[in-house]
Structure formats: C-alpha cells, structure tokens
Amino acid sequence: MKILYTPKKILLKFSFYYDQTVSTCDNLMTCGHMYLKNTSPAPMPGMQGWQAAAFRISGDKAYFFGCGFYGAQDTLCDDAGRHYFKECFIEGSIDFIFGNGRSMYKGCELHSIARRFGSIAAHARTSPDEKTGFAFVNCRVTGTGPLYVGRAMGQYSRIVYSFTYFDDIVARGGWDDWDHSSNKNKYV
C-alpha cells in the first residue's frame, strides 16, 4: 500500500487536506487491523478550517476489516471509489465520515464524541447520475450527541442506514440539508 504523508495542501476532490494523517490512492487494496488517529482538537460546531482527517481513501475497490479510525471533525475521508468497511470502529464529532465514495459499512461502530451537536456522515454527491453513496448495514451508533445521521454535502447526497442500532443521541429531524434550498423536502 502506498502511504502519502502530506504536510502541505493537496488538491483532489476536496480542498482542505492540511492535516490528514494517512492517505492512499491505491486500487484493489486490503487492509486489516490498522488503527489511525488524528489528534487535532475537536472544533466547536461552525468553526471553519478545522478539518483533520485521520485517513483518506481515493482508490477503487478497497476492503478494510477490523480497522480503527479516530479523530474529531472529518475523521474518515471516503473520497472516491468503491470501498467495503467491515467491523471497523470510526470515531468523530462532525461529519466524521465524508466524501463522495460508493461504500458499504457493515457491522461497524460509529462512535460520536460531539459536544454540542454533530453528524455522522456528509455525502458529496452532486448529480443524480452519480453512482455513489454510503450504506450502513448492521452498524451501531454510540456516544454523545445530539447527532444528525447525515448532512447533504452535495445536492444529491445519498446515505442509507439499514438494521442499525442508534443510542438515544439522534437530533430532532435526523438530517441536515446543509442549507441547500432544493433539499428541504427530501426523505429522511
């Protein structure tokens, strides 16, 4: 696996790669029992420029099992490609899983450390023709809240939860449309 340590800005799909711990663009990657943590402090809601990804995956057909991703805002950048996360632990506060990947999270624990409010996932799908989205199946959502289950980072964001347990931390309404006026009447 190629691992890129990036002390300077990288312009790919998103424009805030100042503090990621590890990133990879490899295809056909398998990774087991890897634990990554970004120790940047958790920002208060609404603070700009505090994104600090522990890991960014931009390759296609990646498989992660038993891995741990720890951080605060924007912990796991599921940037692009198809990915399968099995029995992983992902911790964060705001948009701790974000990007425009086409990914399945199965049997994972999504642990919130949100102080005033937070959100699990922010998907960046910008066209109805894109075949991207996040699917959470047989997962557990634990920790502190209140917490949105998703935010519309893109106008056609797609986030699905199936057979997933939630602690009593889900925010009223459950979903944040990120002020996209055309998203006001979408399904939750």
Side-chain angles (χ1 to χ4, degrees):
M1 167 171 83
K2 295 175 194 162
I3 297 177
L4 308 173
Y5 294 92
T6 54
K8 60 183 181 179
K9 188 174 184 177
I10 294 178
L11 292 175
L12 288 174
K13 180 81 174 161
F14 302 101
S15 61
F16 41 79
Y17 289 120
Y18 291 102
D19 282 329
Q20 66 196 16
T21 304
V22 175
S23 68
T24 183
C25 298
D26 281 356
N27 296 324
L28 303 171
M29 185 178 100
T30 299
C31 186
H33 305 289
M34 170 179 74
Y35 304 94
L36 296 171
K37 183 174 186 174
N38 190 311
T39 58
S40 295
M44 294 306 291
M47 292 180 73
Q48 298 293 319
W50 284 78
Q51 297 85 357
F55 186 66
R56 178 177 56 87
I57 176 68
S58 297
D60 192 29
K61 297 182 182 176
Y63 172 52
F64 301 91
F65 61 94
C67 294
F69 304 95
Y70 302 83
Q73 182 173 347
D74 300 340
T75 301
L76 174 60
C77 180
D78 192 342
D79 188 25
R82 295 168 288 180
H83 314 125
Y84 182 59
F85 295 85
K86 183 177 181 186
E87 299 172 3
C88 292
F89 182 89
I90 305 163
E91 179 182 87
S93 60
I94 301 168
D95 305 333
F96 51 100
I97 300 168
F98 73 105
N100 197 28
R102 181 179 178 185
S103 301
M104 166 79 74
Y105 295 81
K106 190 168 183 185
C108 295
E109 182 171 351
L110 313 173
H111 184 74
S112 170
I113 57 169
R115 289 188 238 163
R116 289 193 358 222
F117 88 89
S119 59
I120 299 168
H123 194 258
R125 185 170 171 244
T126 58
S127 163
D129 301 323
E130 288 183 78
K131 294 181 179 178
T132 62
F134 299 151
F136 299 94
V137 179
N138 292 322
C139 293
R140 291 181 46 81
V141 177
T142 61
T144 59
L147 188 67
Y148 291 117
V149 296
R151 297 201 317 155
M153 190 173 176
Q155 192 160 359
Y156 296 91
S157 297
R158 184 182 296 162
I159 302 169
V160 176
Y161 292 87
S162 179
F163 302 103
T164 294
Y165 167 83
F166 290 87
D167 275 353
D168 188 21
I169 58 174
V170 176
R172 186 173 182 86
W175 175 262
D176 179 24
D177 62 25
W178 209 305
D179 293 327
H180 292 293
S181 61
S182 63
N183 291 348
K184 297 292 183 197
N185 295 316
K186 302 297 186 213
Y187 296 101
V188 176

